[in-house]
Amino acid sequence: NAGVTQTPKFQVLKTGQSMTLQCAQDMNHNSMYWYRQDPGMGLRLIYYSASEGTTDKGEVPNGYNVSRLNKREFSLRLESAAPSQTSVYFCASSEQGGIPTGELFFGEGSRLTVL
Amino acid sequence: AQSVAQPEDQVNVAEGNPLTVKCTYSVSGNPYLFWYVQYPNRGLQFLLKYITGDNLVKGSYGFEAEFNKSQTSFHLKKPSALVSDSALYFCAVRDINQAGTALIFGKGTTLSVSS
């Protein structure tokens, strides 16, 4: 099993450009998440989807949009990239969002640089 | 609001010595607590969790953590450190009364084990 797969692994954008980070999981998990990791800041939640058809804002949603395309896929879109969005982005999934006992399974990360 | 604090940015320990990585939390109700480890250029990996029951939780790679409700702490421990334990460690918390919410992560503690 691949687990959680993120694409692309690396991306360089110019300010104002748009892009979509793709995430897919093959574990039949209900919940999916997007986090960003910045030095000294830990992981901060951008958006999450507790179940197919629902999405909710996390701690730092500004400048991002998400789509839960189906149970497997959860994409993160930057409409107009800014240098402050330079970060490492992690997608994660978990079995049950409503009963939060399950651990998260993470992808390998997508390293985004905005010039 | 939920929060988690890791008071040490870095912990240094000699191989063979015991290690402790500290974590304190704040939730309105009872917590679900987790530890994750991140190796360079990789995603986070689950180590262990506390949901209910015994205050001492055992996890992967010989790690354990002690839940202390009165001190609102969940410190990660290992009796004998290995050089290969060197990594970035994250504590995370979830409020069991907040259905559908995601994990909140601390800022991380870098563990450096010297030979």
Side-chain angles (χ1 to χ4, degrees), chain B residues 5-66:
Chain B
Q6 294 180 242
E8 302 156 317
D9 291 335
Q10 179 144 350
V11 170
N12 299 309
V13 64
E15 188 173 31
N17 284 356
L19 69 88
T20 299
V21 183
K22 295 179 180 178
C23 172
T24 59
Y25 67 89
S26 175
V27 297
S28 57
N30 291 318
Y32 289 159
L33 293 155
F34 300 77
W35 275 101
Y36 285 80
V37 60
Q38 184 182 32
Y39 298 101
N41 300 313
R42 303 296 300 275
L44 278 69
Q45 298 176 30
F46 169 77
L47 275 180
L48 52 79
K49 65 181 177 183
Y50 172 81
I51 303 300
T52 187
D54 289 341
N55 290 340
L56 185 64
V57 178
K58 294 188 183 296
S60 306
Y61 313 121
F63 284 93
E64 57 189 28
E66 186 169 11

Side-chain angles (χ1 to χ4, degrees), chain A residues 100-111:
Chain A
T101 61
E103 61 263 31
L104 300 183
F105 293 81
F106 283 83
E108 293 289 288
S110 297
R111 286 155 180 79

Side-chain angles (χ1 to χ4, degrees), chain B residues 3 9 13 20 23-24 39 43 70 73 79 85 95 105 107 112:
Chain B
S3 66
D9 291 335
V13 64
T20 299
C23 172
T24 59
Y39 298 101
S70 63
S73 67
D85 292 330
D95 188 334
F105 286 84
K107 294 184 178 182
S112 179

